[in-house]
Amino acid sequence: MTRRSRLFQAYLLCLLGLFGLMWVHAALARAAAGPAIREKRELVRRLELTDLCLSTEANYTRHLSQADLHTAFQDHPLSLEHFPSGSFLNPPPHLRKTNGPMD
Amino acid sequence: MALWIERQKNVLDFTLASLARRKRKNLALLLVYTLLVFLIASVMFATFSIKKEASLLLENAPEMIVQRTVAGRQDPIPLSYLERIQGIPGVMSCEGRLWGYYYDPVAGANYTLLVPREGEPGQGTIEVGPGVSRTRLASPGDSLEFKTSTGEIIELEVKDVISTESGLVSSDLVLVSNADFRTIFGGSGELATDFVVRVANERELSTIALKIAERLPDTRIILREEILRTYDAVFNWRGGILILILSGVVLAFAIVSWDKASGLSLEERREIGILKAVGWETSDVILMKFWEGMVVSLSSFLLGVLLAYAHVFFGGAKLFAPVLKGWAVLYPEFKLVPFLDASQITALFFLTVVPYTVATIIPSWRAAIIDPDTVMKGLG
């Protein structure tokens, strides 16, 4: 009968082999994506773009680096920031800054 | 050496047999553990690769943008400001950009209308991003209607569609001519949306920015460095709702594994007692528990990471897509490029495999140093 440890060794080697293949695949996929990335970089340069086109639901979430900091209440009175992308964005650094100890 | 290996194999045989006796419990643990690693690794893979791609692409963004603010909001900037910026030593060029948002009620989506300074489309024609083309089923030769600021409707012919591969930066773009932009949005020809400033020496950027702010106090300056920082912060994998949800899963798993590892069951304590009684040493028991921890945690780690890789880079991160896409109509269809961060994977390894293995060994060591007779009687 095959020893359990031998089976486990084979199983572990198989997983480690796949883990190694994952890195190889990543390297090959990165190399294959080179031309597409170059094309996008060229488009960014030519059109002088400043942002990724990820959250297009509202105009103030489209260009994150250009938006003003007061996004809440933009749509109508009492309208809090409610778009899903708002949940993913960190608050600006000045709001996260902690003051020094008071005593 | 051969003896040492044979000893490890024997202990591993025994450990696997011992795990097989509590098959259901251990399989459930393996499943939950793998799921946890899978979820965390998926978030890590997706956010890191998108962050990396963002930094690669936005390296080509303008060095400096100058916007005018009126009453705290961005306002079109007069072209007369150009001369005052061009006069600053170190400024290579300063040009006006024309862009704006157009809400299309037919698609229920916001487009970004932009006038390219290089390769501007002819009057009456446009180039559209892949998202716009998909949503409006617009191909070259078709026409799209736009409502102008005076209420008139104009039709612009689609001359070209920007390639789908570049959707990440161009999905919602509509490239128009200067004349059509002015017709749609109105406004004077003496205004631009903002300025793009290029400098001779990048190290002088902050000095030049300061000088612009002094000369034109009603402007704000956005540096490329700030744009890159914005995207670094946006995709910081520790920030955001996903990690908040996942932290609940991590805590639940911590409680389960702590309970399993710290409180040995009566059966396990008795097993250790019998092993000691038949001649096993404390170091043998610890070795057995080490292998038990490794079998469960290493398997879960490797399985979880591999499944996460397949989920994000082959399956397009389907589980997170609905959350990430939000309500956007023109979300780009893009394939993530597998940029992997070895340090993140190493951190995940040390955060999952090591604590679990240690938490398995310590209580066993405590049980193993008690007199076997006491343990077998269930008094220890």
Side-chain angles (χ1 to χ4, degrees), chain A residues 61-95:
Chain A
T61 61
R62 168 63 178 93
H63 291 91
L64 297 172
S65 70
Q66 315 287 301
D68 64 51
L69 299 171
H70 316 284
T71 57
F73 313 111
Q74 277 214 347
D75 289 340
H76 52 82
L78 293 179
S79 159
L80 285 164
E81 162 56 23
H82 59 277
F83 283 105
S85 48
S87 324
F88 290 93
L89 311 180
N90 274 334
H94 72 275
L95 291 180

mmCIF file of all heavy atoms in Angstrom, chain A residues 61-95:
data_model
loop_
_atom_site.group_PDB
_atom_site.id
_atom_site.type_symbol
_atom_site.label_atom_id
_atom_site.label_comp_id
_atom_site.label_asym_id
_atom_site.label_seq_id
_atom_site.Cartn_x
_atom_site.Cartn_y
_atom_site.Cartn_z
ATOM 1 N N THR A 61 -16.769 61.553 -9.849
ATOM 2 C CA THR A 61 -16.000 60.326 -9.580
ATOM 3 C C THR A 61 -15.188 59.897 -10.808
ATOM 4 O O THR A 61 -14.409 58.969 -10.736
ATOM 5 C CB THR A 61 -16.905 59.148 -9.158
ATOM 6 O OG1 THR A 61 -17.811 58.875 -10.217
ATOM 7 C CG2 THR A 61 -17.674 59.445 -7.893
ATOM 8 N N ARG A 62 -15.399 60.586 -11.925
ATOM 9 C CA ARG A 62 -14.723 60.181 -13.162
ATOM 10 C C ARG A 62 -13.235 60.529 -13.133
ATOM 11 O O ARG A 62 -12.393 59.715 -13.461
ATOM 12 C CB ARG A 62 -15.417 60.842 -14.361
ATOM 13 C CG ARG A 62 -14.657 60.757 -15.677
ATOM 14 C CD ARG A 62 -14.468 59.319 -16.147
ATOM 15 N NE ARG A 62 -13.792 59.248 -17.431
ATOM 16 C CZ ARG A 62 -12.479 59.116 -17.582
ATOM 17 N NH1 ARG A 62 -11.694 59.051 -16.530
ATOM 18 N NH2 ARG A 62 -11.952 59.045 -18.781
ATOM 19 N N HIS A 63 -12.936 61.777 -12.783
ATOM 20 C CA HIS A 63 -11.530 62.191 -12.730
ATOM 21 C C HIS A 63 -11.160 62.407 -11.271
ATOM 22 O O HIS A 63 -11.272 63.517 -10.745
ATOM 23 C CB HIS A 63 -11.312 63.471 -13.549
ATOM 24 C CG HIS A 63 -11.469 63.251 -15.017
ATOM 25 N ND1 HIS A 63 -12.654 63.406 -15.670
ATOM 26 C CD2 HIS A 63 -10.575 62.839 -15.954
ATOM 27 C CE1 HIS A 63 -12.496 63.118 -16.955
ATOM 28 N NE2 HIS A 63 -11.245 62.762 -17.156
ATOM 29 N N LEU A 64 -10.726 61.328 -10.644
ATOM 30 C CA LEU A 64 -10.476 61.383 -9.200
ATOM 31 C C LEU A 64 -9.394 62.385 -8.839
ATOM 32 O O LEU A 64 -9.456 63.025 -7.800
ATOM 33 C CB LEU A 64 -10.075 59.995 -8.693
ATOM 34 C CG LEU A 64 -11.142 58.916 -8.857
ATOM 35 C CD1 LEU A 64 -10.570 57.564 -8.504
ATOM 36 C CD2 LEU A 64 -12.343 59.221 -7.986
ATOM 37 N N SER A 65 -8.403 62.506 -9.699
ATOM 38 C CA SER A 65 -7.307 63.410 -9.357
ATOM 39 C C SER A 65 -7.667 64.868 -9.643
ATOM 40 O O SER A 65 -6.967 65.773 -9.227
ATOM 41 C CB SER A 65 -6.050 63.019 -10.132
ATOM 42 O OG SER A 65 -6.219 63.318 -11.492
ATOM 43 N N GLN A 66 -8.770 65.104 -10.361
ATOM 44 C CA GLN A 66 -9.147 66.482 -10.698
ATOM 45 C C GLN A 66 -10.371 66.961 -9.920
ATOM 46 O O GLN A 66 -10.719 68.135 -9.972
ATOM 47 C CB GLN A 66 -9.495 66.582 -12.198
ATOM 48 C CG GLN A 66 -8.537 65.902 -13.131
ATOM 49 C CD GLN A 66 -7.241 66.633 -13.267
ATOM 50 O OE1 GLN A 66 -7.213 67.786 -13.672
ATOM 51 N NE2 GLN A 66 -6.155 65.990 -12.889
ATOM 52 N N ALA A 67 -11.055 66.046 -9.263
ATOM 53 C CA ALA A 67 -12.309 66.411 -8.600
ATOM 54 C C ALA A 67 -12.031 67.328 -7.420
ATOM 55 O O ALA A 67 -10.974 67.259 -6.811
ATOM 56 C CB ALA A 67 -13.012 65.156 -8.116
ATOM 57 N N ASP A 68 -12.995 68.189 -7.122
ATOM 58 C CA ASP A 68 -12.796 68.984 -5.915
ATOM 59 C C ASP A 68 -13.117 68.100 -4.710
ATOM 60 O O ASP A 68 -13.684 67.020 -4.828
ATOM 61 C CB ASP A 68 -13.601 70.287 -5.952
ATOM 62 C CG ASP A 68 -15.079 70.055 -5.979
ATOM 63 O OD1 ASP A 68 -15.552 69.291 -5.125
ATOM 64 O OD2 ASP A 68 -15.764 70.613 -6.852
ATOM 65 N N LEU A 69 -12.716 68.584 -3.559
ATOM 66 C CA LEU A 69 -12.772 67.704 -2.384
ATOM 67 C C LEU A 69 -14.162 67.623 -1.756
ATOM 68 O O LEU A 69 -14.387 66.847 -0.855
ATOM 69 C CB LEU A 69 -11.766 68.190 -1.339
ATOM 70 C CG LEU A 69 -10.313 68.183 -1.816
ATOM 71 C CD1 LEU A 69 -9.427 68.870 -0.813
ATOM 72 C CD2 LEU A 69 -9.838 66.760 -2.039
ATOM 73 N N HIS A 70 -15.080 68.454 -2.254
ATOM 74 C CA HIS A 70 -16.387 68.503 -1.590
ATOM 75 C C HIS A 70 -17.417 67.758 -2.423
ATOM 76 O O HIS A 70 -18.331 68.362 -2.981
ATOM 77 C CB HIS A 70 -16.800 69.945 -1.361
ATOM 78 C CG HIS A 70 -15.675 70.771 -0.847
ATOM 79 N ND1 HIS A 70 -15.253 70.695 0.446
ATOM 80 C CD2 HIS A 70 -14.855 71.638 -1.474
ATOM 81 C CE1 HIS A 70 -14.218 71.507 0.603
ATOM 82 N NE2 HIS A 70 -13.948 72.081 -0.543
ATOM 83 N N THR A 71 -17.280 66.462 -2.516
ATOM 84 C CA THR A 71 -18.184 65.723 -3.395
ATOM 85 C C THR A 71 -19.571 65.543 -2.793
ATOM 86 O O THR A 71 -20.536 65.463 -3.526
ATOM 87 C CB THR A 71 -17.615 64.342 -3.724
ATOM 88 O OG1 THR A 71 -17.401 63.671 -2.513
ATOM 89 C CG2 THR A 71 -16.363 64.427 -4.530
ATOM 90 N N ALA A 72 -19.672 65.445 -1.485
ATOM 91 C CA ALA A 72 -20.985 65.227 -0.883
ATOM 92 C C ALA A 72 -21.884 66.425 -1.168
ATOM 93 O O ALA A 72 -21.407 67.532 -1.388
ATOM 94 C CB ALA A 72 -20.821 65.039 0.608
ATOM 95 N N PHE A 73 -23.157 66.212 -1.195
ATOM 96 C CA PHE A 73 -24.191 67.232 -1.435
ATOM 97 C C PHE A 73 -24.116 67.838 -2.842
ATOM 98 O O PHE A 73 -24.665 68.892 -3.091
ATOM 99 C CB PHE A 73 -24.100 68.385 -0.408
ATOM 100 C CG PHE A 73 -23.972 67.927 1.004
ATOM 101 C CD1 PHE A 73 -22.800 68.119 1.704
ATOM 102 C CD2 PHE A 73 -25.026 67.277 1.634
ATOM 103 C CE1 PHE A 73 -22.679 67.686 3.005
ATOM 104 C CE2 PHE A 73 -24.912 66.842 2.946
ATOM 105 C CZ PHE A 73 -23.730 67.042 3.629
ATOM 106 N N GLN A 74 -23.415 67.175 -3.769
ATOM 107 C CA GLN A 74 -23.255 67.783 -5.088
ATOM 108 C C GLN A 74 -24.499 67.677 -5.945
ATOM 109 O O GLN A 74 -24.768 68.559 -6.739
ATOM 110 C CB GLN A 74 -22.085 67.126 -5.835
ATOM 111 C CG GLN A 74 -20.765 67.706 -5.463
ATOM 112 C CD GLN A 74 -19.822 67.727 -6.644
ATOM 113 O OE1 GLN A 74 -20.069 67.112 -7.664
ATOM 114 N NE2 GLN A 74 -18.731 68.455 -6.496
ATOM 115 N N ASP A 75 -25.231 66.572 -5.811
ATOM 116 C CA ASP A 75 -26.326 66.347 -6.746
ATOM 117 C C ASP A 75 -27.559 67.188 -6.440
ATOM 118 O O ASP A 75 -28.189 67.746 -7.312
ATOM 119 C CB ASP A 75 -26.690 64.865 -6.784
ATOM 120 C CG ASP A 75 -25.607 64.072 -7.479
ATOM 121 O OD1 ASP A 75 -24.836 64.702 -8.216
ATOM 122 O OD2 ASP A 75 -25.526 62.851 -7.277
ATOM 123 N N HIS A 76 -27.939 67.216 -5.196
ATOM 124 C CA HIS A 76 -29.070 68.063 -4.792
ATOM 125 C C HIS A 76 -28.984 68.248 -3.286
ATOM 126 O O HIS A 76 -28.242 67.518 -2.620
ATOM 127 C CB HIS A 76 -30.412 67.449 -5.210
ATOM 128 C CG HIS A 76 -30.601 66.027 -4.790
ATOM 129 N ND1 HIS A 76 -31.014 65.666 -3.529
ATOM 130 C CD2 HIS A 76 -30.393 64.869 -5.460
ATOM 131 C CE1 HIS A 76 -31.082 64.345 -3.459
ATOM 132 N NE2 HIS A 76 -30.702 63.828 -4.605
ATOM 133 N N PRO A 77 -29.723 69.166 -2.711
ATOM 134 C CA PRO A 77 -29.606 69.393 -1.262
ATOM 135 C C PRO A 77 -29.864 68.112 -0.481
ATOM 136 O O PRO A 77 -30.700 67.289 -0.877
ATOM 137 C CB PRO A 77 -30.694 70.430 -0.977
ATOM 138 C CG PRO A 77 -30.898 71.121 -2.265
ATOM 139 C CD PRO A 77 -30.657 70.104 -3.329
ATOM 140 N N LEU A 78 -29.155 67.913 0.573
ATOM 141 C CA LEU A 78 -29.256 66.742 1.457
ATOM 142 C C LEU A 78 -28.818 65.441 0.783
ATOM 143 O O LEU A 78 -29.099 64.362 1.279
ATOM 144 C CB LEU A 78 -30.662 66.572 2.035
ATOM 145 C CG LEU A 78 -31.112 67.668 3.004
ATOM 146 C CD1 LEU A 78 -32.531 67.378 3.488
ATOM 147 C CD2 LEU A 78 -30.178 67.772 4.192
ATOM 148 N N SER A 79 -28.147 65.553 -0.380
ATOM 149 C CA SER A 79 -27.686 64.338 -1.034
ATOM 150 C C SER A 79 -26.273 64.020 -0.562
ATOM 151 O O SER A 79 -25.320 64.684 -0.951
ATOM 152 C CB SER A 79 -27.699 64.534 -2.548
ATOM 153 O OG SER A 79 -26.837 63.608 -3.152
ATOM 154 N N LEU A 80 -26.173 63.033 0.273
ATOM 155 C CA LEU A 80 -24.838 62.625 0.734
ATOM 156 C C LEU A 80 -24.153 61.855 -0.383
ATOM 157 O O LEU A 80 -24.811 61.382 -1.294
ATOM 158 C CB LEU A 80 -24.973 61.722 1.962
ATOM 159 C CG LEU A 80 -25.336 62.444 3.244
ATOM 160 C CD1 LEU A 80 -25.820 61.451 4.268
ATOM 161 C CD2 LEU A 80 -24.156 63.231 3.773
ATOM 162 N N GLU A 81 -22.861 61.745 -0.289
ATOM 163 C CA GLU A 81 -22.111 60.956 -1.269
ATOM 164 C C GLU A 81 -22.669 59.524 -1.244
ATOM 165 O O GLU A 81 -22.707 58.894 -0.201
ATOM 166 C CB GLU A 81 -20.635 60.978 -0.870
ATOM 167 C CG GLU A 81 -19.751 59.911 -1.461
ATOM 168 C CD GLU A 81 -19.767 59.865 -2.958
ATOM 169 O OE1 GLU A 81 -20.091 60.866 -3.588
ATOM 170 O OE2 GLU A 81 -19.470 58.789 -3.491
ATOM 171 N N HIS A 82 -23.170 59.062 -2.372
ATOM 172 C CA HIS A 82 -23.842 57.766 -2.340
ATOM 173 C C HIS A 82 -23.414 56.811 -3.430
ATOM 174 O O HIS A 82 -23.931 55.709 -3.534
ATOM 175 C CB HIS A 82 -25.359 57.959 -2.406
ATOM 176 C CG HIS A 82 -25.802 58.690 -3.635
ATOM 177 N ND1 HIS A 82 -25.769 60.057 -3.701
ATOM 178 C CD2 HIS A 82 -26.266 58.266 -4.823
ATOM 179 C CE1 HIS A 82 -26.198 60.434 -4.894
ATOM 180 N NE2 HIS A 82 -26.503 59.367 -5.595
ATOM 181 N N PHE A 83 -22.454 57.201 -4.260
ATOM 182 C CA PHE A 83 -22.051 56.280 -5.316
ATOM 183 C C PHE A 83 -21.114 55.204 -4.769
ATOM 184 O O PHE A 83 -20.316 55.480 -3.875
ATOM 185 C CB PHE A 83 -21.386 57.036 -6.461
ATOM 186 C CG PHE A 83 -22.379 57.744 -7.320
ATOM 187 C CD1 PHE A 83 -22.542 59.109 -7.240
ATOM 188 C CD2 PHE A 83 -23.189 57.011 -8.165
ATOM 189 C CE1 PHE A 83 -23.486 59.741 -8.021
ATOM 190 C CE2 PHE A 83 -24.131 57.645 -8.946
ATOM 191 C CZ PHE A 83 -24.280 59.007 -8.878
ATOM 192 N N PRO A 84 -21.232 53.974 -5.301
ATOM 193 C CA PRO A 84 -20.426 52.878 -4.736
ATOM 194 C C PRO A 84 -18.934 53.178 -4.715
ATOM 195 O O PRO A 84 -18.248 52.803 -3.785
ATOM 196 C CB PRO A 84 -20.710 51.702 -5.662
ATOM 197 C CG PRO A 84 -21.999 52.020 -6.289
ATOM 198 C CD PRO A 84 -22.092 53.504 -6.389
ATOM 199 N N SER A 85 -18.442 53.886 -5.749
ATOM 200 C CA SER A 85 -16.999 54.114 -5.775
ATOM 201 C C SER A 85 -16.552 54.932 -4.574
ATOM 202 O O SER A 85 -15.404 54.831 -4.140
ATOM 203 C CB SER A 85 -16.582 54.796 -7.062
ATOM 204 O OG SER A 85 -17.413 55.888 -7.319
ATOM 205 N N GLY A 86 -17.475 55.732 -4.019
ATOM 206 C CA GLY A 86 -17.137 56.509 -2.835
ATOM 207 C C GLY A 86 -16.711 55.627 -1.673
ATOM 208 O O GLY A 86 -15.903 56.028 -0.833
ATOM 209 N N SER A 87 -17.238 54.393 -1.642
ATOM 210 C CA SER A 87 -16.891 53.481 -0.545
ATOM 211 C C SER A 87 -15.476 52.946 -0.677
ATOM 212 O O SER A 87 -14.904 52.447 0.278
ATOM 213 C CB SER A 87 -17.840 52.288 -0.525
ATOM 214 O OG SER A 87 -19.125 52.678 -0.875
ATOM 215 N N PHE A 88 -14.930 53.023 -1.887
ATOM 216 C CA PHE A 88 -13.608 52.440 -2.108
ATOM 217 C C PHE A 88 -12.480 53.453 -1.956
ATOM 218 O O PHE A 88 -11.330 53.097 -1.913
ATOM 219 C CB PHE A 88 -13.519 51.843 -3.518
ATOM 220 C CG PHE A 88 -14.343 50.618 -3.661
ATOM 221 C CD1 PHE A 88 -15.624 50.692 -4.127
ATOM 222 C CD2 PHE A 88 -13.830 49.393 -3.283
ATOM 223 C CE1 PHE A 88 -16.403 49.563 -4.235
ATOM 224 C CE2 PHE A 88 -14.596 48.267 -3.387
ATOM 225 C CZ PHE A 88 -15.891 48.345 -3.860
ATOM 226 N N LEU A 89 -12.851 54.716 -1.930
ATOM 227 C CA LEU A 89 -11.812 55.730 -1.936
ATOM 228 C C LEU A 89 -11.440 56.108 -0.508
ATOM 229 O O LEU A 89 -12.313 56.287 0.333
ATOM 230 C CB LEU A 89 -12.291 56.981 -2.672
ATOM 231 C CG LEU A 89 -12.922 56.708 -4.034
ATOM 232 C CD1 LEU A 89 -13.354 58.007 -4.669
ATOM 233 C CD2 LEU A 89 -11.929 56.000 -4.935
ATOM 234 N N ASN A 90 -10.160 56.248 -0.298
ATOM 235 C CA ASN A 90 -9.708 56.703 1.008
ATOM 236 C C ASN A 90 -10.010 58.182 1.148
ATOM 237 O O ASN A 90 -10.006 58.916 0.166
ATOM 238 C CB ASN A 90 -8.194 56.504 1.112
ATOM 239 C CG ASN A 90 -7.850 55.123 1.583
ATOM 240 O OD1 ASN A 90 -8.642 54.479 2.259
ATOM 241 N ND2 ASN A 90 -6.669 54.667 1.240
ATOM 242 N N PRO A 91 -10.259 58.644 2.368
ATOM 243 C CA PRO A 91 -10.415 60.088 2.543
ATOM 244 C C PRO A 91 -9.081 60.782 2.269
ATOM 245 O O PRO A 91 -8.027 60.141 2.363
ATOM 246 C CB PRO A 91 -10.814 60.229 4.006
ATOM 247 C CG PRO A 91 -10.410 58.966 4.654
ATOM 248 C CD PRO A 91 -10.414 57.918 3.600
ATOM 249 N N PRO A 92 -9.118 62.079 1.928
ATOM 250 C CA PRO A 92 -7.846 62.767 1.640
ATOM 251 C C PRO A 92 -6.929 62.779 2.862
ATOM 252 O O PRO A 92 -7.415 62.715 3.993
ATOM 253 C CB PRO A 92 -8.276 64.188 1.266
ATOM 254 C CG PRO A 92 -9.676 64.320 1.725
ATOM 255 C CD PRO A 92 -10.266 62.958 1.775
ATOM 256 N N PRO A 93 -5.600 62.835 2.619
ATOM 257 C CA PRO A 93 -4.638 62.696 3.728
ATOM 258 C C PRO A 93 -4.881 63.656 4.885
ATOM 259 O O PRO A 93 -4.688 63.281 6.030
ATOM 260 C CB PRO A 93 -3.285 62.979 3.069
ATOM 261 C CG PRO A 93 -3.500 62.733 1.628
ATOM 262 C CD PRO A 93 -4.928 63.025 1.341
ATOM 263 N N HIS A 94 -5.340 64.905 4.575
ATOM 264 C CA HIS A 94 -5.480 65.863 5.682
ATOM 265 C C HIS A 94 -6.559 65.445 6.679
ATOM 266 O O HIS A 94 -6.557 65.855 7.826
ATOM 267 C CB HIS A 94 -5.713 67.286 5.154
ATOM 268 C CG HIS A 94 -7.065 67.494 4.556
ATOM 269 N ND1 HIS A 94 -7.342 67.187 3.249
ATOM 270 C CD2 HIS A 94 -8.212 67.939 5.090
ATOM 271 C CE1 HIS A 94 -8.610 67.465 3.009
ATOM 272 N NE2 HIS A 94 -9.160 67.916 4.109
ATOM 273 N N LEU A 95 -7.509 64.612 6.227
ATOM 274 C CA LEU A 95 -8.550 64.148 7.150
ATOM 275 C C LEU A 95 -8.071 62.966 7.986
ATOM 276 O O LEU A 95 -8.628 62.664 9.035
ATOM 277 C CB LEU A 95 -9.801 63.730 6.380
ATOM 278 C CG LEU A 95 -10.583 64.852 5.720
ATOM 279 C CD1 LEU A 95 -11.792 64.281 4.985
ATOM 280 C CD2 LEU A 95 -11.050 65.867 6.747
#
